[in-house]
Amino acid sequence: SQQGEEDPQALSIQEGENATMNCSYKTSINNLQWYRQNSGRGLVHLILIRSNEREKHSGRLRVTLDTSKKSSSLLITASRAADTASYFCATDAREAGGADGLTFGKGTHLIIQP
Amino acid sequence: DSGVTQTPKHLITATGQRVTLRCSPRSGDLSVYWYQQSLDQGLQFLIQYYNGEERAKGNILERFSAQQFPDLHSELNLSSLELGDSALYFCASSVALRVSGNTIYFGEGSWLTVV
């Protein structure tokens, strides 16, 4: 079963606007990661946030983590056409000690309109 | 380019057949993971090997098996194929045993179509 659930399932915005995607998960985690997947391609790691961190930045990406609500958000600022892709959150369950592979949500499909 | 190589990129086969997917991890990575991605199930973790040994199992069917060889490349064997096995199969690798706090690098995937 999916640990993470992204919301919305799909998002279409104009180039230059900000895009926000949310992820909710069910069990306690060690870390949460965000990945990007271009259509039919492999997943590319974007950013990792640890369970004791609340916010992290990487270029135009900003990730927040609220462990009390078991949720995370990914903000992409000043979006570009090249940001069109599916975005997945992935968690490693604390109980498993990180040995059971990452559990991915179903993803948010982001479309940037030029 | 993630450095993870998967072959073949595409294959089409009939129900009941058996196929083998191959993965070469990034240089220096000891962990290999296999994932299945389908429209209805999303990305499902199948199995992990670390330095030749099976270390974690996810939603892998009994008809599927995997192994990691001494040179660290890995193969995923899918047998008695069914239509529902059609999916994109990813291999990923990382340097460490545990995913916690570590980035895993994905290959481009092998598209399997069962007809």
Side-chain angles (χ1 to χ4, degrees), chain A residues 1-21:
Chain A
S1 63
Q2 301 293 329
Q3 158 76 314
E5 292 290 337
E6 288 90 345
D7 172 64
Q9 289 187 346
L11 178 62
S12 179
I13 61 173
Q14 293 295 123
E15 193 167 19
E17 294 180 340
N18 295 341
T20 300
M21 289 156 273

Side-chain angles (χ1 to χ4, degrees), chain B residues 9-85:
Chain B
K9 287 187 168 40
H10 301 268
L11 69 164
I12 301 173
T13 190
T15 54
Q17 295 297 307
R18 173 190 167 93
V19 298
T20 297
L21 310 180
R22 193 178 191 279
C23 169
S24 293
R26 289 191 327 151
S27 177
D29 284 358
L30 299 178
S31 271
V32 169
Y33 308 82
W34 286 98
Y35 283 84
Q36 178 196 59
Q37 186 178 35
S38 60
L39 280 174
D40 54 344
Q41 295 292 323
L43 263 164
Q44 297 282 327
F45 167 64
L46 296 180
I47 197 163
Q48 177 202 7
Y49 279 81
Y50 178 80
N51 203 21
E53 293 188 10
E54 181 187 307
R55 296 308 298 253
K57 252 183 175 177
N59 301 318
I60 189 166
L61 300 173
E62 285 190 10
R63 300 183 286 108
F64 297 178
S65 65
Q67 52 186 330
Q68 186 180 28
F69 296 88
D71 67 353
L72 301 178
H73 91 271
S74 178
E75 292 181 355
L76 179 66
N77 301 295
L78 315 175
S79 61
S80 303
L81 285 167
E82 302 175 359
L83 295 178
D85 298 328

